[in-house]
Amino acid sequence: MHYIALIDGEPGAYGLVVPDLPGCTAMGKTVDEARANAVEAVRHWIEVTRASGRDVPAPRSIEALTNDPDFIEDREASLIVTEIVAVERLGRPVKANLSLDSGILAAIDDTADRLGITRSALVERMATERLPDYA
């Protein structure tokens, strides 16, 4: 899932809100830092909402949001409209069969060995850290 977010502020102090997740906000010294912090904020917001037995709203499209008067008002005050990927930790590992170049796999294994973690843990860490870059 990808949620639309609004970013405003100035260098050294950016704020981000996710209109579809009331109260879900993040901050950062840079736009990139605010976006990275928003991934954690969205994850935490979803976890807390589900733990309380409430439903998580589905993300609206930019087209749907532009028909929302509150979004239009907030958009006018914002510098940037962006997407934030919702990366949930569901607590249940799933086996996946991936095909990778042998050189890349060797580099993954070497790095995992150096860090003292498994190949799967390293791939999960890399995906969690980098998925927001592709939102």
Side-chain angles (χ1 to χ4, degrees):
M1 289 188 293
H2 291 80
Y3 286 93
I4 303 295
L6 301 171
I7 302 174
D8 67 1
E10 57 190 49
Y14 288 97
L16 181 148
V17 297
V18 182
D20 285 333
L21 306 178
C24 184
T25 63
M27 296 184 300
K29 292 180 182 176
T30 65
V31 169
D32 288 339
E33 185 177 285
R35 287 187 79 239
N37 291 340
V39 173
E40 289 299 317
V42 166
R43 178 182 311 149
H44 182 71
W45 194 98
I46 290 171
E47 287 173 359
V48 169
T49 300
R50 285 206 171 119
S52 69
R54 293 179 291 150
D55 291 330
V56 174
R60 290 182 284 172
S61 69
I62 191 72
E63 292 82 11
L65 282 166
T66 56
N67 292 321
D68 180 339
D70 292 332
F71 178 82
I72 293 168
E73 184 178 318
D74 290 343
R75 170 62 182 110
E76 290 171 357
S78 298
L79 299 172
I80 300 168
V81 176
T82 188
E83 285 185 315
I84 303 300
V85 64
V87 181
E88 295 182 70
R89 292 196 183 278
L90 301 176
R92 60 179 189 264
V94 176
K95 193 170 189 108
N97 182 17
L98 303 174
S99 297
L100 302 171
D101 178 86
S102 61
I104 292 172
L105 185 59
I108 288 171
D109 288 343
D110 289 345
T111 303
D113 287 343
R114 184 175 50 79
L115 295 173
I117 61 177
T118 65
R119 174 193 293 166
S120 294
L122 179 60
V123 170
E124 182 177 317
R125 180 188 294 180
M126 290 187 304
T128 301
E129 290 173 0
R130 297 304 306 264
L131 276 173
D133 295 342
Y134 300 99

